[in-house]
Amino acid sequence: MTNNNPYNLIPLKPTGRNETNSGNTYSPEDMIKIYEQQFLTQVPDEKLKEFPSVLKGFYDIDDNTLDICAVVFDAVADSCIIYNHKVKVGDYEILGGLVTEELAEGDGYEVKGAQAYTLECKRTFLINDVEMPYQFNLFVHGDSYSTLTKKESLLEKVYWFVSDGFEENLLGDPDNQESLESINEALASSGIREMDLTTIYELVDYIEDSIIDDDMVEALNTLLDNAE
């Protein structure tokens, strides 16, 4: 502890200044950390009144930021805290090179004459800072693409649990199907607390929305340009 940081607050780097230049702005993830410290920092009763001003002063935040719930809720959405499971997108990896695919006539693809390719890829996700791989096959034809997820890692099994349908998992062969219980057992072995069915579905929605980002598209376009 120091006089400048009497509560051991987390040093964070601002992303810029707000519109009125009266305080720093922070990334959504860091905004959540600042917000959480209001509730997690142990403060003596006689210091409670001065703690918010110390918090705001340490981060050079304007007086309204921590008092506006919408700011925090937006930060929660952007950082994808799904029912208190902090889920974030990690790095991607392209495994190998483009594989040229031959399309038979009548396959029904709208872009005729465009070459089709497949590419093995991997995206890392983090749940409560635990890295979890997610490998998939990317099929590219013209301006469109689709993905086919592997069935090996835990996140991949979670995807197929949702994709195959909850009822099918209950009715299918238990030796070949994942269940909510088996998924939660695997999560627990990685130090991640259990998820209910709604959370599992939210997690898969987030994976599908985040599996391909701008950096990956740029790398993919470079590969496609080189192949043509």
Side-chain angles (χ1 to χ4, degrees):
M1 289 189 184
T2 66
N3 291 333
N4 293 331
N5 189 8
Y7 300 103
N8 284 332
L9 302 175
I10 304 170
L12 299 170
K13 283 183 123 184
T15 56
R17 301 286 287 177
N18 61 11
E19 292 181 358
T20 59
N21 199 32
S22 60
N24 285 329
T25 57
Y26 290 85
S27 68
E29 184 178 358
D30 285 348
M31 190 67 233
I32 291 167
K33 291 177 184 175
I34 295 170
Y35 182 77
E36 287 177 337
Q37 285 179 97
Q38 293 185 96
F39 305 100
L40 300 179
T41 302
Q42 293 185 349
V43 181
D45 290 343
E46 67 272 14
K47 300 287 185 179
L48 285 176
K49 288 185 178 180
E50 68 180 57
F51 175 66
S53 62
V54 171
L55 187 73
K56 293 173 183 176
F58 183 80
Y59 294 107
D60 187 18
I61 297 174
D62 64 281
D63 290 337
N64 297 318
T65 298
L66 289 180
D67 301 325
I68 301 174
C69 290
V71 173
V72 178
F73 292 151
D74 285 345
V76 169
D78 288 345
S79 289
C80 191
I81 291 190
I82 303 173
Y83 294 83
N84 294 322
H85 292 83
K86 296 183 181 181
V87 183
K88 294 183 290 187
V89 185
D91 295 331
Y92 74 90
E93 186 177 354
I94 294 177
L95 310 172
L98 287 171
V99 177
T100 303
E101 298 292 337
E102 297 295 333
L103 297 180
E105 290 187 13
D107 279 347
Y109 294 101
E110 293 182 3
V111 183
K112 296 184 179 180
Q115 183 61 61
Y117 301 95
T118 56
L119 185 67
E120 291 294 326
C121 306
K122 183 172 74 172
R123 169 72 68 181
T124 300
F125 289 87
L126 296 92
I127 302 178
N128 292 335
D129 295 326
V130 177
E131 291 190 2
M132 309 194 78
Y134 186 88
Q135 192 170 334
F136 58 98
N137 181 275
L138 179 65
F139 175 80
V140 182
H141 181 247
D143 293 330
S144 64
Y145 70 87
S146 60
T147 60
L148 178 62
T149 303
K150 300 288 186 179
K151 295 185 178 181
E152 298 172 3
S153 75
L154 176 55
L155 275 191
E156 294 157 16
K157 291 176 181 178
V158 168
Y159 169 83
W160 284 109
F161 171 75
V162 171
S163 182
D164 289 342
F166 182 59
E167 291 184 0
E168 290 183 20
N169 279 280
L170 290 178
L171 298 175
D173 183 350
D175 293 332
N176 296 324
Q177 298 284 352
E178 294 296 327
S179 66
L180 190 59
E181 290 75 16
S182 66
I183 287 172
N184 277 319
E185 286 176 4
L187 288 170
S189 68
S190 298
I192 300 170
R193 60 187 174 279
E194 70 177 23
M195 299 184 182
D196 60 20
L197 191 59
T198 300
T199 305
I200 293 288
Y201 273 76
E202 292 281 352
L203 175 61
V204 170
D205 284 344
Y206 181 73
I207 289 172
E208 290 184 317
D209 290 341
S210 310
I211 189 173
I212 297 176
D213 60 10
D214 291 342
D215 288 342
M216 189 173 179
V217 168
E218 185 176 342
L220 176 61
N221 286 336
T222 299
L223 289 175
L224 291 172
D225 290 341
N226 293 338
E228 293 176 353

